[in-house]
Amino acid sequence: MTCEYSPVSSVNGTIPIRLQAATEDHSIRFRRIHLEDMGRVRNRTVCELDGEEVTSAEIGKGYEVEKDNVVPISDEELAEMPLPTAKAIDVVAFVDRDSIDPIRLGATYYLEAAGEVAAKPYTLLRKALERSSKAAVAKYALRGRERLGLLSVKDNAMVLHQMHWPDEVRDPAELAPAPVELDEGEIEGALALMDTMALDDVSGFRDTYMDALEELIEAKAEGKTPAATKTERKGSGQVVDLMSALEQSVRKAKESRGESGEDATVHDMPSRKKTTSKKTPAKKTAGRKPRTA
C-alpha cells in the first residue's frame, strides 16, 4: 500500500514523503466454489426489506442510532468534516520511547522520501531521532479517520507506527485471575525455566502450517496425492507442560543448594481427559504436603 502525503511537518519544516506498508500478509486465501462444476460463488448485495439485489451506486452509508432507526450519512457530508491532517503527517510532540506502552502500537509503515527535495530534511529528522532517546508523536489521516502515530527509525528509514487512542485500549484489570500464593522457590523455578528456553533472536521461527498448506496446494495442482501430514513435534516446537517443568526446576535449584526437594509445592495441571483404567493410588510420603488440582 502506498499513500501520498505532502509533508511531514516538524521543527525542521516540511518533508515530502510517501507511506509504504512495512509488512506483508502472506496468508493463503481461498475462494468459495460450487463443488459440482468448480464455478466461483460470489456474494450478492440484497436489500433485506424488499429482497432485491442492488448495485454499488444504490448503496450508501448509514449509522444505526437504535434499532430500526438508521441515520444516512452522505459522502459529501463526510468530505466536509474537518480533517486538517488529511494531506500531512503533523509532528506534535517528542516523547521518551520507553514511555510508550507497546499495546498502543498498531500497523507499521515506512516513510519514503518523495524526491530529491525531501532528502536533506528527511535525513536531518532521522539523524536527530537516532541520536536521542526520543520518538516523535504525530497526527495524520488514513482511511477517513484522524489517527495518532509514533515516528521512529529503522536502519536508514523512518517508520510510522499507528497508535491506538487512549480510549481504544481496554483495561485488563477485569481479566486478571484471583490472587494466588507463590513461594520464592516457584518463582526461582520459573526463572530457571526461562533461562533454559532463552534465545538470542526469533528469526529462526517459521510458519509450519503455511508451509504444509503450500505443499498441499502444490501437490493437488500437479495432480499428485498429498503427502501425509506430519503430526510429530520436534525440538523447540514441543508444547511445554509449564507446571511440570517448574516442579523439576524447583527441585534442581534446591538440590544445588543442598536442600531437600521434597517440599516443592507446585500444583499439578488438571487432567484434560478422564481415563477408565484404574491405577493403584500412590503411597503418601511422611512430611509431604498433599497436592491439590
Side-chain angles (χ1 to χ4, degrees):
M1 187 192 84
T2 302
C3 294
E4 294 280 353
Y5 279 82
S6 296
V8 170
S9 302
S10 68
V11 292
N12 302 312
T14 60
I15 309 171
I17 57 97
R18 297 186 186 92
L19 208 62
Q20 302 280 4
T23 58
E24 296 177 339
D25 184 1
H26 292 165
S27 300
I28 292 178
R29 291 176 171 80
F30 299 101
R31 291 181 174 180
R32 296 194 306 165
I33 58 173
H34 185 197
L35 294 177
E36 183 177 335
D37 55 16
M38 307 305 291
R40 185 174 179 181
V41 178
R42 300 180 182 273
N43 293 326
R44 297 173 59 219
T45 51
V46 178
C47 176
E48 65 178 16
L49 296 180
D50 57 23
E52 297 292 329
E53 187 171 357
V54 295
T55 65
S56 58
E58 298 174 288
I59 300 175
K61 297 180 178 67
Y63 182 82
E64 187 174 359
V65 180
E66 55 188 13
K67 186 174 177 59
D68 299 329
N69 183 13
V70 178
V71 178
I73 304 294
S74 68
D75 291 337
E76 290 75 15
E77 289 171 324
L78 291 175
E80 293 176 358
M81 297 296 294
L83 196 57
T85 54
K87 289 295 180 180
I89 299 176
D90 189 11
V91 175
V92 295
F94 292 90
V95 298
D96 289 332
R97 286 192 292 264
D98 295 339
S99 68
I100 301 299
D101 185 352
I103 201 170
R104 292 192 60 182
L105 301 181
T108 305
Y109 302 92
Y110 290 132
L111 300 185
E112 178 189 6
E116 294 183 5
V117 68
K120 186 171 183 177
Y122 183 100
T123 305
L124 178 58
L125 180 56
R126 191 200 74 214
K127 289 286 188 183
L129 291 173
E130 277 181 338
R131 296 190 183 185
S132 72
S133 59
K134 303 290 185 181
V137 178
K139 295 179 72 175
Y140 65 104
L142 186 64
R143 299 188 182 97
R145 282 191 57 190
E146 185 166 60
R147 302 178 185 271
L148 197 64
L150 195 72
L151 292 181
S152 64
V153 176
K154 178 176 174 57
D155 299 332
N156 292 326
M158 282 196 295
V159 180
L160 173 66
H161 307 273
Q162 182 177 313
M163 292 183 65
H164 297 288
W165 296 99
D167 61 351
E168 293 178 331
V169 178
R170 294 179 57 195
D171 185 356
E174 61 185 25
L175 307 178
V180 296
E181 293 184 3
L182 294 173
D183 61 38
E184 196 62 30
E186 290 173 316
I187 299 175
E188 289 179 4
L191 294 174
L193 177 61
M194 291 169 61
D195 288 340
T196 62
M197 299 177 66
L199 293 176
D200 293 331
D201 62 76
V202 295
S203 60
F205 289 101
R206 286 187 57 84
D207 187 345
T208 54
Y209 174 83
M210 186 66 65
D211 292 341
L213 186 56
E214 289 175 349
E215 291 176 3
L216 171 64
I217 293 173
E218 183 178 355
K220 299 196 73 171
E222 296 175 355
K224 299 178 181 178
T225 301
T229 304
K230 298 179 181 179
T231 57
E232 67 271 17
R233 297 178 180 270
K234 300 178 180 179
S236 61
Q238 293 180 341
V239 177
V240 177
D241 184 339
L242 179 60
M243 299 309 293
S244 176
L246 286 180
E247 187 174 17
Q248 295 178 23
S249 298
V250 171
R251 186 180 297 110
K252 289 179 179 179
K254 288 189 174 183
E255 289 175 354
S256 67
R257 296 194 300 266
E259 301 176 12
S260 171
E262 294 297 317
D263 294 327
T265 58
V266 179
H267 303 299
D268 292 332
M269 295 291 288
S271 176
R272 292 188 177 180
K273 296 184 179 179
K274 295 182 179 179
T275 57
T276 55
S277 60
K278 296 182 179 180
K279 296 182 179 179
T280 304
K283 295 182 180 180
K284 294 184 178 179
T285 303
R288 175 177 293 187
K289 297 180 181 179
R291 296 179 177 176
T292 58

